């Protein structure tokens, strides 16, 4: 089955193009978004989701905003776009850009990539401070395309590194969607070793937690894996220990939304549950983490902000008729934090990181392509 | 809010009366069932569910079958009902009864109460072997009403015994429905300490796992608790560790479908998950177990038959549109087995049973009202 790219820049239309993931698996429909509010809505409503994909979408969104501001300059201002604007106009440009960045930032609080990508974009814009508007815009275009391309290379490297931990025929459990639909890559993060192994005839048996309340495992992961010919089996979230105790799971591969400096990991609600059960059954729990998800400004899991979402996601959404009595209270956190000591290893684009994480996360990143200093 | 009895005998209509639980929480509708096939269908389709309620429903069903056979005798046979039938007719009566029993038995394999109640009913019928048909039927009527009444007394005793383990203001987590809708009692099993505490102003905060795929926690437990004015909060199954790590859960109260002689416990899928997480967080995991759910013929969890149900329950049922891609494989066991060493205590009608379970389950039952010899 052909699948469109999860997130892309359409330069002819000056639009962010995404697959509307709320319509999957029934329909694969593309959305062309141009305005910051539409892009923010798409992130908030999970039309585009997954930490890396959110980062890429926001970066493209901020670039499109820069194009917009530049266009307004050339129409309403005296300064032609190829000339440096005067101080007032420069300030105004950056002010509008910063406001747009802050607006996008509020769409989702937990995934670090949103802020990380927007910071990169704003820094790139600031580099051209004093230059012509066209140069600022061009620099931002380069940066958002770089973020997009890096995502592909990072996922390929995670796939290669992760595959070394797996053997043909293994049963692999995953949760939520850290697949190609969660990234701008053909491989995804947690699914990268799976897809790469599939290409090499590893014949994995992949088990997908359906992932309530938003069913990303059922709607997205099971969808993209079966579309690629991977042997995928769906289960409800509460069935994982039954599967594990039956000996069907050899490894657990998860994505992540934010990793603290000590290795505590925020990821989709239910992740820590799987990690606790995997430890109970002696099954290795691996977190596939692009280095962009590691937040050295965050000492440990306690400082990670957890997004809570509306009750209707649990009681109404997807259902033919309401599944719970009217007026019942609902607990609906979108993420949880897995303690670092439940993680067997982090699979990053720079290699596999083993405990102690407090030291090793930093050490491996220092040796990596991005210097740590660039990240904090 | 008024609630009907979950399961009852309507003697005017000679019918089993149940609340059709597949329609909750939207509609509370009574079903009047008379034939074995209809009763079997109601059990298979979970219109009536919960180990104790299934036992009571099956007992009433077998009594209604006896009434039917007796009626056929009086119409088509030479023997009037108040006379002992001849050998041929007696054999025929018991043969038909036994066939009906076996038919009901196949409705669900995991809950012990189904077989336990049907065995009791058949034994009661056999006691009257040689007597008139009317005596057999009368004895079976007495027996099914006894099973029904015992259910109420057992639940009250479980409530009283369980309440001693709890303190006012506690947060209590439960899963699936082991409430009044799972029994013939006003108290239920796992909910008995909760309802009894509620009557005494304990102000528990009760957290209900929604319990995929059939949503018994959302549709039934949240429904009956809020209908009774208990402070209830709904969560998705995968959110329990988030709740536990936030310090909101002081105790976990579950029901059970079959307890092996060593304390291994089969209960709704996901139960062992909660037990593993509760141990991880140091929270006591209590199983509310009528002694009728303890199966001394079953050495340990490995010998418990686990029912697997159809894929559509996970991919289609309840949903407005299909939640998973066509053709995906589905793993859908209806129960799992919790290792005995994860259970802090069994709360039975005879008292609280602590480890070692291999010895203590037997000892306490021997001291109880039912002699162990009656049970094996």
């Amino acid at each position: 089955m052909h699948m469109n790219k999860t997130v892309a820049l359409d330069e002819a239309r000056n639009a962010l193009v995404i697959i509307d993931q709320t319509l999957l698996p029934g329909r694969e429909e593309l959305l062309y978004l141009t305005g910051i509010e539409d892009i923010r809505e798409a992130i908030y409503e999970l039309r585009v989701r997954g930490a890396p994909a959110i980062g890429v979408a926001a970066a493209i969104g901020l670039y499109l905003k820069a194009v917009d501001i530049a266009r307004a300059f050339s129409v309403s201002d005296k300064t032609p776009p190829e000339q440096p604007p005067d101080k007032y106009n420069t300030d105004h440009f950056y002010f509008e850009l910063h406001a747009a960045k802050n607006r996008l930032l509020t769409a989702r609080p937990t995934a670090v990539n949103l802020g990380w990508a927007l910071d990169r974009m704003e820094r790139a814009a600031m580099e051209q401070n004093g230059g012509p508007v066209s140069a600022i815009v061009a620099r931002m275009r380069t940066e958002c395309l770089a973020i997009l391309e890096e995502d592909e290379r990072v996922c390929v490297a995670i796939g290669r590194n992760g595959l070394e931990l797996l053997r043909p025929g293994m049963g692999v459990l995953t949760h939520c969607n850290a697949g190609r639909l969660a990234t701008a890559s053909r491989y995804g993060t947690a699914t990268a070793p799976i897809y790469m192994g599939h290409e090499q005839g590893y014949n994995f048996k992949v088990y997908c937690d359906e992932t309530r309340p938003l069913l990303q495992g059922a709607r997205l992961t099971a969808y993209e894996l079966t579309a690629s010919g991977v042997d995928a089996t769906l289960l409800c979230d509460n069935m994982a220990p039954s599967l594990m105790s039956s000996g069907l799971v050899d490894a657990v591969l998860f994505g992540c939304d934010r990793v603290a400096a000590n290795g505590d990991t925020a990821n989709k609600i239910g992740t820590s549950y799987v990690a606790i059960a995997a430890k109970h059954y002696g099954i290795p729990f691996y977190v596939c983490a692009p280095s962009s998800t590691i937040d050295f400004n965050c000492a440990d899991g306690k400082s990670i902000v957890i997004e809570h979402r509306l009750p209707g996601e649990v009681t109404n959404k997807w259902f033919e008729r309401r599944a719970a009595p009217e007026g019942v209270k609902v607990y609906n956190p979108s993420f949880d934090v897995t303690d670092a000591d439940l993680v067997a290893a982090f699979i990053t684009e720079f290699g596999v990181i083993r405990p102690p994480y407090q030291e090793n996360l930093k050490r491996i990143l220092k040796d990596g392509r991005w210097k740590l200093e660039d990240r904090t």
Side-chain angles (χ1 to χ4, degrees), chain A residues 283-323:
Chain A
I283 300 165
F285 180 93
Y286 299 120
V287 175
C288 295
S291 64
S292 60
T293 54
I294 305 173
D295 183 1
F296 289 98
N297 292 320
C298 185
D300 58 33
K302 282 191 284 296
S303 22
I304 300 176
V305 176
I306 298 296
E307 175 184 7
H308 282 252
R309 294 177 68 93
L310 294 174
E313 284 188 351
V314 175
T315 57
N316 300 51
K317 203 176 168 92
W318 316 119
F319 293 131
E320 207 167 22
R321 51 180 202 262
R322 198 181 154 86

Side-chain angles (χ1 to χ4, degrees), chain A residues 119-150:
Chain A
D119 281 345
R120 263 184 79 167
M121 290 296 289
E122 192 174 42
R123 221 159 40 224
M126 294 305 289
E127 279 172 17
Q128 302 296 321
N129 196 350
V133 170
S134 59
I136 304 179
V137 173
R139 180 67 192 82
M140 289 183 74
R141 176 178 174 277
T142 310
E143 192 69 13
C144 79
L145 293 177
I147 291 174
L148 189 122
E149 281 155 28
E150 276 170 28

Side-chain angles (χ1 to χ4, degrees), chain A residues 45-348:
Chain A
E45 293 292 346
L46 285 67
R47 302 187 195 286
V48 58
R49 27 70 48 210
I54 290 174
V56 173
I60 293 175
L62 203 61
Y63 160 65
L64 295 175
K65 181 65 188 179
V67 171
D68 249 13
I69 309 176
R71 191 177 294 141
F73 267 47
S74 67
V75 172
S76 67
D77 288 349
K78 301 290 171 277
T79 323
E82 58 284 352
Q83 296 298 317
D86 63 24
K87 177 74 173 75
Y88 171 80
N89 275 341
T90 306
D91 286 355
H92 183 70
F93 183 97
Y94 286 119
F95 177 82
E96 274 201 44
L97 199 68
H98 191 71
K101 176 194 164 192
N102 280 344
R103 186 73 187 131
L104 286 173
L105 258 181
T106 61
R108 310 237 11 227
T110 304
V112 69
N113 304 57
L114 184 59
W116 168 84
L118 290 168
D119 281 345
R120 263 184 79 167
M121 290 296 289
E122 192 174 42
R123 221 159 40 224
M126 294 305 289
E127 279 172 17
Q128 302 296 321
N129 196 350
V133 170
S134 59
I136 304 179
V137 173
R139 180 67 192 82
M140 289 183 74
R141 176 178 174 277
T142 310
E143 192 69 13
C144 79
L145 293 177
I147 291 174
L148 189 122
E149 281 155 28
E150 276 170 28
D151 197 50
E152 178 71 23
R153 273 182 286 134
V154 162
C155 290
V156 168
I158 286 175
R160 198 179 310 118
N161 295 333
L163 198 53
E164 288 176 20
L165 300 170
L166 306 176
R167 290 186 309 281
M170 270 188 166
V172 177
L173 175 70
T174 189
H175 184 78
C176 194
N177 176 270
R180 51 194 298 177
L181 285 164
T183 68
S185 145
R186 289 165 301 140
Y187 287 95
T189 56
T191 55
I194 294 169
Y195 283 127
M196 215 162 272
H198 182 66
E199 290 170 358
Q200 301 176 27
Y202 269 54
N203 291 319
F204 293 131
K205 296 211 171 303
V206 183
Y207 297 95
C208 314
D209 275 356
E210 66 173 6
T211 318
R212 284 280 292 147
L214 296 181
L215 301 168
Q216 293 95 333
R219 296 189 304 107
L220 309 179
T221 306
Y223 172 74
E224 60 164 270
L225 289 178
T226 53
S228 305
V230 175
D231 182 334
T233 301
L234 178 66
L235 62 151
C236 298
D237 300 317
N238 60 24
M239 295 168 184
S242 164
L243 204 63
M244 290 176 177
S245 71
S246 307
L248 295 170
V249 182
D250 300 295
V252 175
L253 283 182
F254 274 47
C256 58
D257 289 82
R258 190 184 294 251
V259 177
N262 73 340
D264 288 352
T265 298
N267 189 45
K268 181 52 55 197
I269 187 73
T271 300
S272 71
Y273 218 173
V274 181
I276 291 166
K279 187 183 183 183
H280 183 80
Y281 286 108
I283 300 165
F285 180 93
Y286 299 120
V287 175
C288 295
S291 64
S292 60
T293 54
I294 305 173
D295 183 1
F296 289 98
N297 292 320
C298 185
D300 58 33
K302 282 191 284 296
S303 22
I304 300 176
V305 176
I306 298 296
E307 175 184 7
H308 282 252
R309 294 177 68 93
L310 294 174
E313 284 188 351
V314 175
T315 57
N316 300 51
K317 203 176 168 92
W318 316 119
F319 293 131
E320 207 167 22
R321 51 180 202 262
R322 198 181 154 86
E326 294 289 344
V328 70
K329 291 191 282 188
V330 176
Y331 179 74
N332 185 21
S334 201
F335 301 90
D336 65 16
V337 174
T338 299
D339 288 344
D341 61 10
L342 296 173
V343 179
F346 289 91
I347 303 170
T348 75

